[in-house]
Amino acid sequence: MTIGISIALILSSMLMILLVLLHKGKGGGLSDLFGGGFSSSFGGSSVVERNLDRLTIITGVVWFVCIIALGLLLRP
């Protein structure tokens, strides 16, 4: 059980890093490489940005649950 949660934690951590880097910051980000800069010129948030936000939040919740579960399992 602990190994499975640890693997899920590692995978969600790497996915979280990737998703955060894809977000557009003040000066743009890695999302500009994939066409994020073009869609932001239309004003407002695009569908891609909203979906990226949702996926980042879901990944963050999975990461948080894995941290809590490992803390409870490894408590002496």
Side-chain angles (χ1 to χ4, degrees):
M1 184 73 161
T2 305
I3 294 173
I5 295 175
S6 297
I7 291 172
L9 178 64
I10 291 169
L11 291 175
S12 64
S13 297
M14 291 192 307
L15 183 60
M16 180 68 81
I17 291 169
L18 177 68
L19 291 173
V20 168
L21 287 175
L22 284 175
H23 276 89
K24 186 174 189 306
K26 291 182 181 178
L30 289 179
S31 61
D32 288 341
L33 294 175
F34 303 108
F38 178 72
S39 63
S40 66
S41 64
F42 292 115
S45 62
S46 68
V47 175
V48 175
E49 290 173 357
R50 284 185 298 219
N51 288 337
L52 185 61
D53 289 341
R54 290 179 187 140
L55 189 58
T56 304
I57 291 170
I58 291 169
T59 305
V61 168
V62 169
W63 182 84
F64 184 74
V65 168
C66 288
I67 292 288
I68 297 298
L70 273 179
L72 292 175
L73 285 174
L74 297 177
R75 186 174 9 156

